[in-house]
Amino acid sequence: MHVRAPVLIPDSAAFTTVAVKWVKHWNEHLFSFAVERPASFRFRSGEFVMLGLPGLPGEDGTPGKPVMRAYSIASPSWAEELEFLSIKVAEGPLTGRLQAVKPGDQLYLGKKPTGTLVLDALLGGKRLFMLSTGTGLAPFLSVARDPDVYERFEQVVIVHGVRRVDDLAWRDMLTAQLADDPLVADQALLQFHYLPAVTREPFHTMGRITTLIEDGRLFDAPVVGERRFDPETDRVMLCGSTEMIRETAGMLEAAGLVEGSNANPGQFVIERAFVG
């Protein structure tokens, strides 16, 4: 079998060049991958960073401007590599090429991670709900593997809404309550809950996230406590489709929760970098 040589890219003054460590294709429109972590790269669990490739050369052969997109970091802040989750868009300026990367290929990595899906942007509480659709799961994979979250909250809940069952990336790891995680396995066994939901195929939990909130299934056992959002004790993070975020944020505000930020922590946060 022919194995091509790694694709190397020119150095950039604005970005760090990193090598791809591994690639996993979940299905025909979803994949995850990891890159090496530069020794100087620091981030808070839940942040995003710019990631990309050189632009295609112009007709005169001059290199194009790098094509960069914001990607949430799926790995925890202590990890030795940086994981990402991406959709595949055949004609996408970046994902059309990114989905073809192999281990050893090089990518550009931004130098300054940022974002609001971090514990610093939330007030203390008892229950943390991380509500995601599609690739919006990524930052919550990072937060859920951070030991600090189990010190700050009694219950940590990830809800992942997708169209099809095979879109449930990392389902086995999450269903097992992070049992193989070296730092949080013991706490997660007692405090972590995972609720996957599917909208277009038969599944044990079907429906949109907003429907699960409205009919109370979001709060079914093993989640303990009120069958509604309580502004005094509940904190919420939202990441995913613009429609889900808009509708759910409206429901949270109606329940009395106030949006927070890094400068002014609140009761729920969204990642505005990804919201149109």
Side-chain angles (χ1 to χ4, degrees):
M1 185 176 69
H2 175 71
V3 179
R4 66 168 173 77
V7 177
L8 307 183
I9 59 179
D11 287 340
S12 166
F15 306 107
T16 303
T17 302
V18 293
V20 174
K21 304 280 286 183
W22 54 262
V23 183
K24 177 180 176 64
H25 294 272
W26 298 96
N27 55 33
E28 71 273 16
H29 54 263
L30 189 68
F31 71 108
S32 56
F33 59 98
V35 302
E36 60 189 353
R37 179 175 180 172
S40 60
F41 191 86
R42 298 286 181 270
F43 72 99
R44 297 175 297 172
S45 296
E47 289 189 316
F48 68 88
V49 68
M50 302 303 291
L51 197 70
L53 287 164
L56 298 175
E59 293 183 2
D60 59 358
T62 56
K65 182 180 178 182
V67 180
M68 308 294 294
R69 296 289 185 271
Y71 275 86
S72 291
I73 303 169
S75 44
S77 59
W78 49 263
E80 294 182 357
E81 58 188 23
L82 303 174
E83 299 175 42
F84 302 94
L85 178 63
S86 178
I87 58 172
K88 302 177 184 180
V89 181
E91 304 302 321
L94 179 59
T95 58
R97 299 161 59 200
L98 194 60
Q99 62 187 285
V101 298
K102 305 286 186 184
D105 290 352
Q106 292 181 334
L107 303 176
Y108 289 136
L109 176 73
K111 297 179 180 180
K112 293 185 177 181
T114 188
T116 54
L117 297 176
V118 293
L119 296 179
D120 291 343
L122 289 175
L123 298 168
K126 291 185 178 180
R127 299 192 298 189
L128 173 63
F129 292 89
M130 294 177 275
L131 309 182
S132 64
T133 56
T135 57
L137 173 69
F140 302 151
L141 292 168
S142 179
V143 175
R145 289 182 282 178
D146 188 326
D148 287 348
V149 76
Y150 298 95
E151 297 296 323
R152 290 193 54 182
F153 296 94
E154 296 173 9
Q155 296 181 76
V156 177
V157 184
I158 283 183
V159 183
H160 189 203
V162 298
R163 294 176 177 177
R164 306 184 330 186
V165 176
D166 67 358
D167 290 331
L168 292 170
W170 281 284
R171 178 185 176 189
D172 290 345
M173 179 187 79
L174 296 170
T175 301
Q177 293 179 274
L178 311 177
D180 294 329
D181 191 278
L183 292 190
V184 305
D186 292 344
Q187 299 101 308
L189 182 63
L190 300 173
Q191 297 171 248
F192 176 76
H193 309 305
Y194 168 57
L195 176 60
V198 177
T199 58
R200 296 190 180 178
E201 288 181 350
F203 194 61
H204 59 69
T205 302
M206 296 187 66
R208 300 167 70 232
I209 287 176
T210 48
T211 304
L212 301 182
I213 296 171
E214 289 170 342
D215 64 22
R217 283 182 290 161
L218 189 81
F219 308 99
D220 283 349
V223 177
V224 177
E226 294 273 358
R227 294 181 61 78
R228 61 179 179 83
F229 288 121
D230 183 342
E232 294 298 316
T233 57
D234 290 334
R235 304 295 174 254
V236 186
M237 292 178 164
L238 304 176
C239 192
S241 72
T242 302
E243 182 181 18
M244 184 277 286
I245 290 175
R246 184 181 67 250
E247 292 183 10
T248 308
M251 297 171 77
L252 294 174
E253 290 170 348
L257 281 73
V258 177
E259 184 179 351
S261 65
N262 281 288
N264 189 19
Q267 292 149 325
F268 77 93
V269 289
I270 68 176
E271 187 48 80
R272 295 204 169 272
F274 304 126
V275 178

